[in-house]
Amino acid sequence: MSDYPPISEHLDDVESARTEGRRKMDWALQHMPILNELRDQFEAEKPLDGQVIGMAMHVEAKTANLVELLALGGAEVAITGCNPLSTHDDVSAALDAHENITSYAVRGVDEDEYYDAIESVVSHEPTITVDDGMDMVFAIHEDYPELIDTIVGGAEETTTGVHRLRAMDEDGALEYPVFAVNDTPMKRLFDNVHGTGESSLANIAMTTNVSFASKNVVVAGYGYCGKGVAKKASGQNANVIVTEVEPRRALEAHMEGYDVMPMNEAAKVGDIFVTTTGNRDIVTEKDFEVMKDGAILSNAGHFDIEIDLEALSDLAVDEYDARDGVRAYEMDDGRKLNVLAEGRLVNLASPIALGHPIEVMDQSFGVQAVCVRELVENADAYDAGVHDVPDELDVEVAEIKLAAEGVEIDALTDEQREYMGSWSHGT
Amino acid sequence: MSDYPPISEHLDDVESARTEGRRKMDWALQHMPILNELRDQFEAEKPLDGQVIGMAMHVEAKTANLVELLALGGAEVAITGCNPLSTHDDVSAALDAHENITSYAVRGVDEDEYYDAIESVVSHEPTITVDDGMDMVFAIHEDYPELIDTIVGGAEETTTGVHRLRAMDEDGALEYPVFAVNDTPMKRLFDNVHGTGESSLANIAMTTNVSFASKNVVVAGYGYCGKGVAKKASGQNANVIVTEVEPRRALEAHMEGYDVMPMNEAAKVGDIFVTTTGNRDIVTEKDFEVMKDGAILSNAGHFDIEIDLEALSDLAVDEYDARDGVRAYEMDDGRKLNVLAEGRLVNLASPIALGHPIEVMDQSFGVQAVCVRELVENADAYDAGVHDVPDELDVEVAEIKLAAEGVEIDALTDEQREYMGSWSHGT
Amino acid sequence: MSDYPPISEHLDDVESARTEGRRKMDWALQHMPILNELRDQFEAEKPLDGQVIGMAMHVEAKTANLVELLALGGAEVAITGCNPLSTHDDVSAALDAHENITSYAVRGVDEDEYYDAIESVVSHEPTITVDDGMDMVFAIHEDYPELIDTIVGGAEETTTGVHRLRAMDEDGALEYPVFAVNDTPMKRLFDNVHGTGESSLANIAMTTNVSFASKNVVVAGYGYCGKGVAKKASGQNANVIVTEVEPRRALEAHMEGYDVMPMNEAAKVGDIFVTTTGNRDIVTEKDFEVMKDGAILSNAGHFDIEIDLEALSDLAVDEYDARDGVRAYEMDDGRKLNVLAEGRLVNLASPIALGHPIEVMDQSFGVQAVCVRELVENADAYDAGVHDVPDELDVEVAEIKLAAEGVEIDALTDEQREYMGSWSHGT
Amino acid sequence: MSDYPPISEHLDDVESARTEGRRKMDWALQHMPILNELRDQFEAEKPLDGQVIGMAMHVEAKTANLVELLALGGAEVAITGCNPLSTHDDVSAALDAHENITSYAVRGVDEDEYYDAIESVVSHEPTITVDDGMDMVFAIHEDYPELIDTIVGGAEETTTGVHRLRAMDEDGALEYPVFAVNDTPMKRLFDNVHGTGESSLANIAMTTNVSFASKNVVVAGYGYCGKGVAKKASGQNANVIVTEVEPRRALEAHMEGYDVMPMNEAAKVGDIFVTTTGNRDIVTEKDFEVMKDGAILSNAGHFDIEIDLEALSDLAVDEYDARDGVRAYEMDDGRKLNVLAEGRLVNLASPIALGHPIEVMDQSFGVQAVCVRELVENADAYDAGVHDVPDELDVEVAEIKLAAEGVEIDALTDEQREYMGSWSHGT
């Protein structure tokens, strides 16, 4: 087992980091009505008493409020990052200061350290896993299968993670229940559409200082993330071009009024590229060859494999940092292609990245929290495998949010409910 | 059995009606690339040879091209309307002129005639039913159960119809397979969002001559139809207010930037109301009591029960036609509330109604056609009950459409396909 | 002088026409808060006593309420149409029934009758002219210069009319003051942008039954009308293409995210064309030659010279009415090009046309009414020539409208007013 | 005269600052097609030979490319900042390294130093002034009137500066010609609408980590900047509320579909406030008293007087930095109100500020450059006072931009030109 130490042992000035991290957490908490409401509940009822939660997530202020919520609910929590560049050390330190929380997340770790930190989390012998990319689930299944017996279940945050878990499930290889938090309406509609959309574009704007008005913005993939990026770019007067492989999604984008074309055509005219597919090799050598001088490339999917950086680097006669967070690749014909945030998630890994907007994560983490509570309270109800979040949990979170925003809605009358359930009414 | 005669026996000048109806069908066909493509296929391959298709649909130019396509595919077709006000007699006559088609649809029939016409269709002993509101399925199950044995299956066009069929199915009362055409992505995303959205608003504008800019447009229900009406109204600079009963849909509307409130609050400020719920009693007495003078009420759901016209009529001290298609109800305090198209579907039943846009119906009817073909070709594959349209059929139609619009898209590489199916890749 | 008789002598059943026309006027008046407010003022104060107003405008329900307002203000009014196809005979009859109004407007007159009707209006010896296209001003200057001495002034509604008046003024040929109602912010921002935009598209939709989603909509001209059409088409998910001759307007459209290109390029890809330039020869032979089969052509400018119908007719091997209001021109290669409303204003001259939305005309006519009042009250303040509407009149109308809509706004404090007028404040 | 030294004497490591500054300038220049084109012209033709240009502008990468362009055109340039917080020292150092440029701009100067730096610029005895807020014009008129005789003219960038210059002109106090660069269509439509709109919101998002979806965003003022902020916020799914004092602008916002209300009403519901008026006392004590806990206040106007920070500070029981660039004011009832960038221009003065987008400034600075050239080439054509930028200069820049973006447009034919100038055509 790894003896990779918690963040506090990595820092020179732990105290000031903790103060700063707590300040960041406090700011976020101000804009998280759902977690605020759940804090009251969890603190009073301690639904997670006796549980050990192992987490691999982006460790920044918002996530930290989820982590603290889980600890306030009675759990012991061990956490590490799910991306070497997304950890905020000060927030990690603030968490680590909590008596029920140990944080191993450190920004800028190398690959060995990354996996060592996961091992350190595993050494706490979690009964519940909470993932953003299934690293924790994968580590346990691969290297610590002996823990599986005592694991109640898990929750996974991302599209990509859920996709991989489903594949694992189909292979019969997933040995405890995991909630596909990503697949709830709450997650996809708000986090993916509004969260990824707004924050990716704000990061691009504030890293490059270019504007979107009149730009050809190429959005690769028209899933929920792609829809969000396209919608928000269009809302800033960009000319949106969508690339897709699924005919119905392509048609949906076309009907929305966007241009739809193959990537190699889009590559010729695009000013700014944002990949959102969750797949690999989306922008490749043949695309680099036809791109315009000054093209800006970014990724809002999960892994850094959507833009083929290896091929780009091979093509380049020179590489250098054009700005913080902007890597310029100079082609032999003098064209410069600019990659943001090393091709990692532009809204999480750029130098000024703040991640998803606070309120959006509030919703997503609200679902995480009630899912963890559900795993404890109704453990027997779930077999090994990927589970959709039960509708009533998702609805519970929506209701908390609406109430917090002061939005009232109608309720079905008995007559309406009966009508919706009947089938013998005439024209 | 009914001896209600075909349309041709109802008209004084059948020939000129046929000419006019054919002219309407030709205009529509010009803008229906999917049906054009399928005509070539169906005419060549005659996949429906030997089948009798009983239909209850809105009989106008676009539907007529579906009907003719089915006849060209080898079927004998008998059809009647699914709404007493939506039939175009000239189109009905043009269809009836086809040697393999008998049309009983006549505009303005009373309730007895409406059901007599359905009986006349049933008398052809259909082997396949195609419905827009499940009238045909219902009539057969209720009154002609002896036909069920020879029925291959059916297809249903609308949200409301599918809803009722599912209820029937749950009761174990649905005795042959029916494709829920409404539930395909093709249908919901294009027909409901773009079709209902655009055509409802165009009908309201051209019936009332009011504009949408700055108006408070109250959209009841935030399903696909509601989303379409809200989106298109917002795109014409209306201030959109959404009412809902489902917390997550309400939250989705709220996150989109719309106002969300209970109907009785919306009633106080709304200028134009559009109901899209598929449920009853959406706008009721307590709402009429607080509405502004001059409020305009319309329905884009399925049945005329969303606005409680009986209660409105009871409240009114006077009623009269303010314009063609606008019924004014004068309250005792002098306020006038204006109901469009008698509370029936505003885009189908208003005096100038042309129904859904042509291209949108082209997509929807493309799915209908391949579903009917599927019922014949793979009859054994489907048990009694409601069936989702198989993905490959839906995708087939999307591909035809994209090709017709000149839109090319990417295809997954083998490496990408493998990646999407795998789960063992690291960070 | 002409003895062309008033509308009432042209109709078989005058009484029922009057009833119908009055019903239309009443509906409009319900949605005209500004005119309602001004009716109270004008009826009480009779500011127009003793004046004779000669008008050439689109005679339909909304204009009729302006006409009646002027009569209620004490004037004798004589009116005729400003477009042979835009008159509603029933509304014309309802106006003619008013003791102080004579209406010569009849739908479908030929060129001789059109000018005879203008002469009949002139025979009333107007002291004020109100134009929509400067026909009245032009007729008086050309043929009845003896009337000019007693004319107090005029008001002109349209961009095109004002343009021509300014040209006339520059030639020293305009011999009495005319308010350029068109050039007020009230007129351009609301009437041109929202009015022309919404109503042109609604007419196109309801004449053709096509949808805008995903369509290439070519907007010729990016003035206020063009901006309105582009904005509203984009709001219905069209892909907007703009053509322009002024580089800054072209750049403005480009920055908005629209495609900008020469007409002959746009012609190759456009599905629906809307001309808004006020100029001639916008869509010409070389464009027709490259258009797609099924292209739809319409005009939202002033005259029917934007689409070169003569050239189109010469190119065509066949012409026929494809639908009411749609003239199909068949090219020798089989392509059909479809012209709406004979190339006249699509929102005024199509068969189902209702003209500009009511509320928008309410604003425009509110300005007309206070301008006419101003001509009487401050006749000496205005020399012969084109005059901008005085700011205070325009603001008066805006304030009436805001009050009617229940919108309150801030007022400058003395400190703020002083600050805005000063220049000696530091950083 | 001041002996305030150039930036290079303020820095410890001038060389690395210059390298970094040049790197920033290079990035910007890549996205400035207009300045690139003009560099070729100016370098070849040296139109500014013999001129001394005194500038007070935001000294960052984009402006620096204008400064260098002027120097390449033959001028000697002296420059300082126009805002104590907007200078990038490295860019200032890079400029100062140029043999024809002296830069006195240093970030974070106090008031005395600010004015000393202006004096140092003046000591170069400029023949042309280029301002962003009229500091240079004001200093010369107030303190160095002896320079006026040899001054050819000036150019002013901002709305606020032009407003103050016009007031000065009306007082007869402006003694040389100044081009109102701000008032060109190029400047207002692109810089104000797109530039201020996009960059203000991106700065707010990246300073606070909140999202705009569903937020009540209060935009004070509906001039060009306000329109831009409202449009872009709406495009990110905010619910936009506009406050105004001018009835027609208020009505324009209302017709666009926005909520319009007095600030004191907006204060009760607003989540994020952006002032854009150019006036003082826009958000004041009575507004702070009713704001929601967590409200975010920012300014996108010119000076830091739109939000009454003094009153806010007086009301507060505690003040602290909640995040970089966010000052929290705690009210006695526990509510926290958060002011961004000290109430200064949020897109220029926030800690991560990059200013207006590059391309937008490219357009604005293109106009500046041709205006300076015009002052030299046609000095005699301009009297003392504020001058609109001649149309042909503005059009020249638009044409350069369109060509650079590959956008082609139509040209008027002779027939069209004649038609537009004529007035005798009939209906």
Side-chain angles (χ1 to χ4, degrees), chain C residues 42-60:
Chain C
F42 275 40
E43 217 165 350
E45 301 167 13
K46 300 283 176 195
L48 311 183
D49 249 349
Q51 302 295 327
V52 179
I53 303 178
M55 305 177 74
M57 298 191 82
H58 302 293
V59 176
E60 41 72 73

Side-chain angles (χ1 to χ4, degrees), chain D residues 337-353:
Chain D
L337 306 184
N338 302 292
V339 176
L340 306 192
E342 305 175 24
R344 293 171 184 269
L345 280 167
V346 71
N347 62 336
L348 292 172
S350 89
I352 55 169

